[in-house]
Amino acid sequence: MRIEDMRVTVVGAGVGGCAAALMMARAGATVTLLERVERAQAVGAGIAIAANGFAVLESLGLGPALTDARPVAEPRIVDGSGRTLLRPPGDAGVRMLRRATLQRVLLDAVAAEPGIQTCFGAELIQAAADGTAFVAQVDGTERAITADLLIGADGVHSRLRAGLDVGARLQPDGIAYVRALVPARALNEEAWCSAGVFGSFDVDNGAYLYASAGTPSTAAAVERHDLAAFCSAWSRAYPAAAPLLQQLTSWNELILNRVTTVHCARWSQDRAVLLGDAAHAMAPNLGQGGNSALVDAAVLVDELFKSPDLRAGLLSYERRRGPAVAKVAALSARLGALAEETRSVPRWLRDRVLLPLAGRLGGDPTAQVLQESPETLRAIGRRAAVRRPATLATSDRASLA
């Protein structure tokens, strides 16, 4: 089909939304990118970019702008004393980066793209499968936009998804994680210990750390916003983390979120389609949330290119992405449950029996985790680089005229 003739509206200017807008515009579509906040900003502290996500970013010409990403050379899982439990097989080519750095690079690319009109401070009120979006602007007025394709990249609690009949199920599992950036060197490892999961990795200008809050002591500290108690509980369980935690001076430096997974029976309806967390939010334990959104954007454009019409393209996108993402989400959930085991006997069996056995049996899940080969993803981006005739780029906080 001819993407060049399409009017596309993308809801959400996060990682997946920006990538989808860029991919569609590079393929020739006229794109409107909606974002409810007046000033787009990254939500989160750090992000792991694996080889699949990085291939999509490279295909968009953003590789040179991401030279600050720090490769994770020899990832390992340790116990509370620092003893190595497992060195993950394979090489997913993971790089760590501040989420704000990635968001800035994507937004700069969006602003420079002639085929994209950005509308910040434009909140989606309601969406329909026929491609209509009703939007509230910062001046209090409401407008309706009609698109040939409406892309929902508006996250776990997607308002666009709420307007579709896609059989969505949200499952909050209750586990909370805190994340932070500190001015220190990271340990560059993930610990599975009596308090749950703690990881720290070098990023540009500092360290990104994350810690779960699933035990009574850490959960109580989160409830009270008690930084000292939270750091004390984790320093006892994993003493190597203490120097990093000592860099924190206020609870407000922590970002707290609870894991919620999203399962959709379908990802599209008529002229509307979902990608990223709006379609398939998963446990964070494989670091494939943002990467999967980037892959979604590339595969969506690829299947539209190859299909005779919109409906066929959206169905092909679902069939190609759905099973691959479902496998990664299931693997992430199993890994998360294993990592978060804090009872002493099951943890001893995990550390002394299960993980050593897994290490001896080998097997490389890298291809399954990455879902699409980086070479394929780069080729999609190159094909999408057929530019539409140059038009005036517009950056408008509220106007949808």
Side-chain angles (χ1 to χ4, degrees):
M1 63 175 293
R2 283 182 55 81
I3 295 178
E4 299 95 314
D5 299 331
M6 295 181 68
R7 296 166 302 151
V8 177
T9 297
V10 180
V11 182
V15 171
C18 285
L22 287 165
M23 280 281 182
M24 294 301 297
R26 300 281 174 88
T30 300
V31 179
T32 299
L33 177 61
L34 304 179
E35 172 54 50
R36 66 182 179 83
V37 300
E38 290 188 69
R39 182 179 179 182
Q41 55 188 341
V43 178
I47 186 169
I49 308 175
N52 54 352
F54 200 79
V56 175
L57 295 169
E58 283 183 311
S59 77
L60 292 169
L62 305 182
L66 296 171
T67 54
D68 284 338
R70 301 288 192 267
V72 181
E74 297 181 355
R76 66 175 190 145
I77 296 168
V78 302
D79 64 11
S81 67
R83 182 178 68 89
T84 299
L85 299 176
L86 183 67
R87 294 188 183 276
D91 180 10
V94 175
R95 298 168 172 87
M96 302 299 297
L97 191 68
R98 288 176 183 256
R99 190 174 284 267
T101 300
L102 176 59
Q103 191 69 48
R104 173 183 53 76
V105 168
L106 284 165
L107 288 172
D108 286 349
V110 164
E113 186 61 43
I116 302 175
Q117 179 186 29
T118 56
C119 301
F120 296 101
E123 183 173 8
L124 182 70
I125 301 171
Q126 187 178 355
D130 65 1
T132 304
F134 298 91
V135 179
Q137 303 177 115
V138 291
D139 63 3
T141 61
E142 297 181 4
R143 298 289 296 271
I145 307 173
T146 301
D148 299 311
L149 177 61
L150 190 56
I151 299 176
D154 49 343
V156 172
H157 302 289
S158 169
R159 191 161 290 180
L160 190 150
R161 185 186 62 225
L164 305 179
D165 180 16
V166 292
R169 292 182 294 111
L170 275 67
Q171 295 179 318
D173 74 357
I175 292 196
Y177 281 84
V178 299
R179 295 175 167 85
L181 295 164
V182 295
R185 290 295 304 274
L187 297 165
N188 292 306
E189 63 189 26
E190 184 172 280
W192 295 4
C193 53
S194 59
V197 174
F198 187 104
S200 67
F201 294 89
D202 288 324
V203 294
D204 39 318
N205 300 313
Y208 164 51
L209 65 84
Y210 53 89
S212 58
T215 63
S217 60
T218 55
V222 166
E223 184 69 24
R224 299 191 307 267
H225 288 191
D226 189 336
L227 179 63
F230 187 82
C231 293
S232 176
W234 263 108
S235 295
R236 290 193 302 272
Y238 179 41
L244 289 168
L245 294 168
Q246 288 167 5
Q247 300 293 319
L248 298 169
T249 60
S250 166
W251 185 264
N252 293 331
E253 296 174 51
L254 300 177
I255 298 168
L256 173 68
N257 71 292
R258 297 185 183 277
V259 175
T260 299
T261 57
V262 174
H263 306 271
C264 292
R266 297 165 297 283
W267 290 10
S268 67
Q269 183 183 1
D270 298 340
R271 294 184 175 275
V273 66
L274 304 172
L275 62 75
D277 283 351
H280 52 69
M282 64 183 74
N285 302 83
L286 282 173
Q288 275 294 309
N291 290 291
S292 294
L294 289 167
V295 176
D296 287 347
V299 170
L300 175 60
V301 170
D302 192 39
E303 291 301 330
L304 291 176
F305 264 131
K306 295 189 297 187
S307 298
D309 54 49
L310 179 63
R311 188 58 192 149
L314 297 183
L315 287 173
S316 294
Y317 161 70
E318 289 182 53
R319 291 178 183 134
R320 181 169 165 185
R321 293 295 297 133
V325 169
K327 290 177 183 177
V328 173
L331 184 57
S332 293
R334 290 196 297 271
L335 189 65
L338 194 64
E340 291 292 345
E341 180 57 71
T342 57
R343 296 170 297 172
S344 58
V345 173
R347 191 158 44 85
W348 185 91
L349 290 171
R350 178 197 69 193
D351 296 352
R352 302 291 178 173
V353 179
L354 183 59
L355 292 181
L357 179 62
R360 287 195 297 271
L361 291 176
D364 184 357
T366 302
Q368 177 178 317
V369 171
L370 296 183
Q371 306 159 57
E372 296 271 343
S373 76
E375 293 77 13
T376 297
L377 294 169
R378 291 189 191 94
I380 293 170
R382 287 194 295 269
R383 185 178 182 187
V386 178
R387 301 287 291 273
R388 69 191 296 274
T391 58
L392 179 65
T394 303
S395 179
D396 186 342
R397 282 181 150 195
S399 174
L400 303 179

